[in-house]
Amino acid sequence: RNNLLVQDAYIVRLNEASSTTRANEEAMLQQYEHWILVRSDTPSTTILTNTDDTSEANDISTFLHVTLFHDDSCHLDEVEIDFDAIVLRITPTTLKDCATGLRRILELVQLVTKEMERKIHDVVAKESDSSILFKVNLKPLTLLLGRHNNAVIQIMSHAMLVMFQSIENKNGSGRKTLHLSINELQGSAHQMLQPQQLQTSLGPTSIEFRVAYGTENCGSIVSQDIYLDSEALPIHLSPAEFRLVQRVVEGFQKRLNSPVDEKLHSLQQHQNRRRSFLRYQKKGTGIMTNFRVEIERFSFQLESSLVVQFVLDKVKSRLEGCLSALTGDCSAVVTCKHYHKGEWEAIIEPLPITLSVDQMPNELTMRVFTKQDLKANITSSLLKDYLKFDVSQASITKNESGQSLPQQNNISKTSSQKEPTIYLHNDSGLEFFLSVSSSNANVISVPSNCYISLETLFPLGRHKDDTVDLKLAPSARALVGDRNVIAKLPLDENTRKVYRLHPTIEDPGKHAYYHAEAVVEWCMQNQRLRSSIIDCYNLPKGGDLLSSHIWSPSNDDHGHHHQLHGAEGGGEVIKSSTTTYSNPKNFWMKPYLKNDSPEWTDMTCILRMAKDRVMLPDPSWIWLNDWTVDLNGIYGKDVDCDGWEYEADFETFHREQRFYRRGDACRRRRWTRTRMIRPPSLEDPQRPLLLIWKYSRRDDGNVVIKVTSPVTIWNRTNLSLTIHVSSPSWENSVCLGNMEANQRLPIPIRYAAATYFKVITGSSSSRPLLIVPTGPNASTVLRTMIGKNIHVLVHVTSVMGLVTITIDPVVKVVNLLPCDLFVELGQVVFGKKQKENDDRLAIGSNDGTVVECQEQLNIPVGKEKAGVRINPCWKPHLSLSLPGYGQWSAWHRIVNRQVSSCSWHAENVDGDDEDFTTYVKLERPGGDGLTVIVSVEAGHCPTIRVYAQYWILDKTGFGCRFCDSFSDILGRQADSATSRRSWLPQNDTASVTTIKDGHEWSIGKDGMTLFFSKKEKIALCVETDEPTTTAAPKDPVSIWISPVDISNVLPKTVLSVDERNGYRRFDLAIGVTVCPSIFSRTKLITLYPRFTICNWLDTDILVAQDGLQ
C-alpha cells in the first residue's frame, strides 16, 4: 500500500457499537456518532474537501477504524482500534528517532491507569468499579527490520491483537492485563528484499502472550502472572541467514548506542544488564510471581551441508515464587533428526526430560533428569556430513547443499501472500448471474441458498480494483419482474451496502406511491401520584409504588380482578375470557392540580388530544394496528415495564426519558398507532426491492460476501418456530419455514415488504404482529403470546434501513455453578389449592399464596436457558435444585427491579445498585444444606444468574469441615446453617452413585464443595484424616480455628490447626482468588498442605514428625 497521508483521507461516520458493550446499552450507543479516518482510493490535494458528498464517501476504502465508548456512570472506558493491511519499514535510524516517542506512549499509559486509580479511590469514594480497555487489531502486518539494500529481517502476521485492560474494584483491589495474540506469524532473513525468492525461516505459528498484575491498596502490585502459549514454533535457518540476522541486530545496536571502544562497550553493556536484572529482582521481591510457558511443538532446523532438526514436543514450564526466589520445573520430549538421502534418520530418539529450577537471591540450582534410557544413533553419514559442515561459509543457500529438503520446510513468501479466496453466499431467495464488470467473458450462475467460490470468474488472477455485475436469472424475473443490472459491486471493501433492484420500466408518476413510508401517530397519557403518598416508604412492606401490571413485585393479592391477555405492544391489556390476574392497587391517577397537563395530550403535553379522534388523511391510507403503548427505551433507566417515564413535575419533562427517582410525582407514556398507504401486491412488477451486499472475513483469512435480504428474523428462544408473513395487499400469508433455537432466518427479498408476521409452534399460534419499522433508526418492543401458555418478546430494530426482528423469551436463566442446575419457573394462581405432593412455601409473598409450576429447565455448567411458559403479569417465582438434593427449594419471587430504584419497599433487600439478589436455601436429608445466590439483571427480558458465593478446593487430602460461626460460646459446635464438608461421610443418606463426575461440588465430595457466608468469614477443622473410608465422627480430629476474613483476594497464608487431645499440628495454607471468566462473581478458596515431600530416590523412605513415637 502507499503511505497514508492526510491529503488522502476522509472523515466518515461510524455508528457501530463495540463488541464488548452490554446488550442493554446498544440502543443508547446508536444515538451517538463517532468518526474514523479512512483512506481514499484516489489521492486528493485538499484536506476534507468533499466530506459532505455521500457518493464519494461510499467509494473510499477503510484504513483505520477507531471505536470509542465512555460510560461515566459505570466508569467504563473502551478504545478499540482496527488497522487494515500495514507494512512498516524500521531502520536503525528511524528506531532511534522513535524510541523517545515510544517511551512517552508507555508513560502516558501509566499515567492513564494511575489517574483511573486516583479517580476511583479518591474522587468516587469507592462507590463503584472502573475499567479501561484499550484494544488494537492489526490485520495483515509486515515488519521490515534493517535497510533494504543490505540485510533485512522480514516478519509477517495474518492478524495481531494487542489488548490492555485495567480494572479497579471499589474495595481497593484490581487487575491489569496486557495480552498479545499473533496469528500465522512468519519470519525470514534476506540479503536484499526480493519477494519472488523469499522463503520462510520462522513459522507459520500462532502465539499468545499475557501478563496479568494483581493489585491491592489502590494500585500496589501484589502478584504477577506471565503466560506464553504457542501451538507450534518451527525455525529453519542456514548459516548465511544466521549471519544476516546477526548483522541486522548489530546494526541496530551500533546505532542505538553511542560510539565507544568495543571492548569497553561490551563490558559496560554486560554490567548494565546485570545491574538492571538485580534491580528488577530487588523491586519484585515479595511479589507473588507465576511464569507459565506451554508450546505444543518447537523445532529448530539447521539447513546447510548438514541438515539437522531439533524438536521439543509438549514443552511445559511453570515457575512460582517471587523474582528473587523462583522454583519450578520444565518438561519436554526431545528428538534430534538428521536428513540424509531423502529420509530423516533419528540421532536421538524421543526422550522425555525434566529440568528442575531452584533460584535463590545468590544461588541457582538446575537439575536435568529423565526416567527413560537415552538412545542415540551415530552413523557414518552423520559424521561425514558433520566434517563437511562449516559455519563460516561466506554464502550458502538452502539449495546449495545438493539435497532435496522436505516439502513442508520450504514455505515460500509468495504462497503466504496469496490473495484470499472470495466466496459468495446467496441468501436472497432469488437466482442471479455474476460477471466481471470489465469483461463479460465469464458468467456464473448463483442459485438461491448457494455457497460458491468466485475464483472461476478470474482464471488469470484477480486485481485489487476488480468489480462484478449482478443480473437476475430468468427464474427470478418471473417472480419479481424485469430488473436492471446492479453494476460494479465491490469485492475488497469491508462494508455492508444496500442496493435497489430498479424495474426496467419505471412509472415516474407512481414514484411517491411506491416509496411512501409508514407514519406514526403519537398520543401522550399523563398521571400524577396520589397526594397521600410521597414515596415507597409511605406504603406497607411489599407495596409497589409504580403499580406495575407487568413484573410487579407487589404483595397485594386482594385487588379486583381483570381479564387480560399480553397484547401487542405490551402496554395496554386486551380482554380475554381465558386468563385472569390480580391487579395491584393503583397509586396513580389522572392529573388533578390546577396547572397540570390534561390526561391525554399531544407530544408537547400541553394541547388536549383524544386518540380515538385521529383520522386517516384519505381513503388511500390504512391503519396497520390499534393504539399501543410505546415500550422503547432501556428498562430501569429510561422507562418501566409498562412504558412510563417519570419526572418531579410535568414542566420538567424533556426529550430524554428517565426512570423513577425518589421524589418524582408525575409520569407519562406514549401511545402510538401506525398508518401507511396501502402497499403494492406481490404481483406488482414495479414494487421496490432491496438487496444487501455484505462483506465479511473468515478466521482463515478468506472473504465471504453475502447477498441477503434487508429483513432478518432471529429466534433466541429454545423453541422450534414456524414463521408466517403477510401484508394487507396479499391474498394469503406466506410460510417462510421453520427456525430452530438461536437460528437466523433472512426473509426472502420477494417478501421483505411484509407488514405482519406470525409465530407458530406446534398447534399454537400468535396474533399477527406489526413489523414495519417506524424510521431508518428505530426500535419497537412487542409482547405477545403463542397460544395460551407461551410468552415471548419481539424486538423490531431498524439500523440504517436494515431491520432485525428478534424473538426473545420473557426470562433467561444462567447457571454459574460448577454443577448442573435444575430450575422450576412458576406463577401465582388464584382460586386453586396447593397440590398435595407440593408443600413448597412462596418466599416474598403473602401467606396462602399458591404458586404453580409452568416450566422446568435443566441447565449445564456455564450455559443459559430461556423461559417462555410463565406470564410476567402473574408474579413469576422460581425454585431450584442441585444434583444430590432430592427436593426443591421454596418458591422465590423474581423481582425484576433494580435495588437503587426506590420504587419498592421490601424487607431484607440485598444486592448492589444494579441487580436484586436473593439467597436460596437447599436442604439435603442427612447431609449439609447449601445456600446459593440468585441475581436478577432487570430488563424487559430479565437475566437470572445463579451462582455460589465461594468455591472451596481442598488439596490437603484430609476430610475438612467449614463454617462461619459457632452455635456455642466455646467455639466447638459449627453453625448448622453454614456448615459444609469437603468429603462425603459413609453414613450420608445421599447415594454417591447418583452423582455424576464433576457434580461433587453440590454435596461436598473429593475435596470440592460450595460455601456461603453472609459474614464473609470461614472457620475450618480437620474432621478426619481418612476421608474415603470413615463415617462422620462425633468429634473432629482437630480443633476449630478462628474465622478468617475472606471478603477480599487473599494470597497464600499459613494456617496451623492443632490436633484435639494430641501433640500433632496440621500446617495448612489458604488462598482466595476470583474465579475466571463468567464465574467472576464467585471467589475460589484453595487449601494446600504447607509442606510437600517428594522422594526422588530409588528406595522408599519413612517420614515422621519430630517428637512423635
Side-chain angles (χ1 to χ4, degrees), residues 250-305:
E250 291 177 351
F252 277 93
Q253 289 179 344
K254 291 181 180 179
R255 189 68 181 90
L256 295 177
N257 297 311
S258 57
V260 294
D261 183 72
E262 294 185 0
K263 294 183 178 180
L264 179 61
H265 171 67
S266 178
L267 179 61
Q268 289 179 349
Q269 189 178 24
H270 177 73
Q271 292 177 351
N272 292 335
R273 290 176 180 174
R274 179 177 176 82
R275 293 195 193 101
S276 300
F277 179 72
L278 293 178
R279 284 197 301 268
Y280 188 66
Q281 274 191 327
K282 185 176 180 181
K283 182 179 179 181
T285 301
I287 299 177
M288 185 173 60
T289 305
N290 181 14
F291 289 92
R292 184 177 65 83
V293 178
E294 290 189 7
I295 301 176
E296 186 66 24
R297 183 181 179 88
F298 172 80
S299 62
F300 178 82
Q301 182 169 312
L302 183 62
E303 300 174 353
S304 179
S305 57

Side-chain angles (χ1 to χ4, degrees), residues 424-432 445-452 470 691 705-708 749:
L424 189 135
H425 183 198
N426 181 13
D427 209 359
S428 64
L430 299 175
E431 182 183 1
F432 53 81
S445 174
V446 185
S448 178
N449 299 323
C450 179
Y451 193 95
I452 63 173
L470 184 147
L691 176 145
I705 296 178
K706 188 174 183 180
V707 181
T708 184
I749 293 178

Side-chain angles (χ1 to χ4, degrees), residues 662-701:
R662 189 176 182 183
D664 289 347
C666 298
R667 68 179 186 179
R668 68 177 185 178
R669 62 178 177 180
R670 298 175 176 88
W671 290 71
T672 64
R673 193 176 187 185
T674 305
R675 58 180 172 89
M676 69 178 301
I677 297 178
R678 182 176 294 275
S681 63
L682 283 176
E683 292 74 18
D684 192 336
Q686 296 191 10
R687 60 191 182 94
L689 297 178
L690 298 180
L691 176 145
I692 307 300
W693 185 267
K694 184 179 179 181
Y695 178 102
S696 62
R697 188 178 292 271
R698 299 192 316 194
D699 294 338
D700 58 2

Side-chain angles (χ1 to χ4, degrees), residues 453-498:
S453 172
L454 298 185
E455 296 303 311
T456 55
L457 282 176
F458 309 97
L460 300 180
R462 182 170 57 87
H463 300 283
K464 174 183 177 182
D465 299 330
D466 282 340
T467 58
V468 295
D469 297 341
L470 184 147
K471 181 181 179 181
L472 292 183
S475 60
R477 293 198 299 270
L479 296 175
V480 299
D482 291 337
R483 304 281 169 163
N484 292 332
V485 177
I486 302 179
K488 296 185 177 181
L489 294 172
L491 297 178
D492 58 351
E493 293 186 12
N494 190 8
T495 57
R496 180 178 58 182
K497 293 186 177 182
V498 181

Side-chain angles (χ1 to χ4, degrees), residues 34 135 151 297 343 397 444 449 457 538 788 886 909 964 1080:
H34 304 276
K135 184 188 296 185
R297 183 181 179 88
E343 295 181 355
T397 63
I444 61 174
N449 299 323
L457 282 176
N538 292 108
K788 298 180 180 180
V909 175
D964 69 346
S1080 59

Side-chain angles (χ1 to χ4, degrees), residues 896-914:
N896 187 17
R897 193 73 60 84
Q898 293 183 359
V899 176
S900 61
S901 63
C902 299
S903 60
W904 176 58
H905 189 197
E907 296 180 353
N908 301 324
V909 175
D910 296 292
D912 53 19
D913 291 343
E914 294 295 332

Side-chain angles (χ1 to χ4, degrees), residues 237-250:
L237 282 179
S238 66
E241 290 175 335
F242 182 80
R243 290 191 300 273
L244 289 176
V245 173
Q246 185 179 11
R247 189 190 309 171
V248 173
V249 173
E250 291 177 351

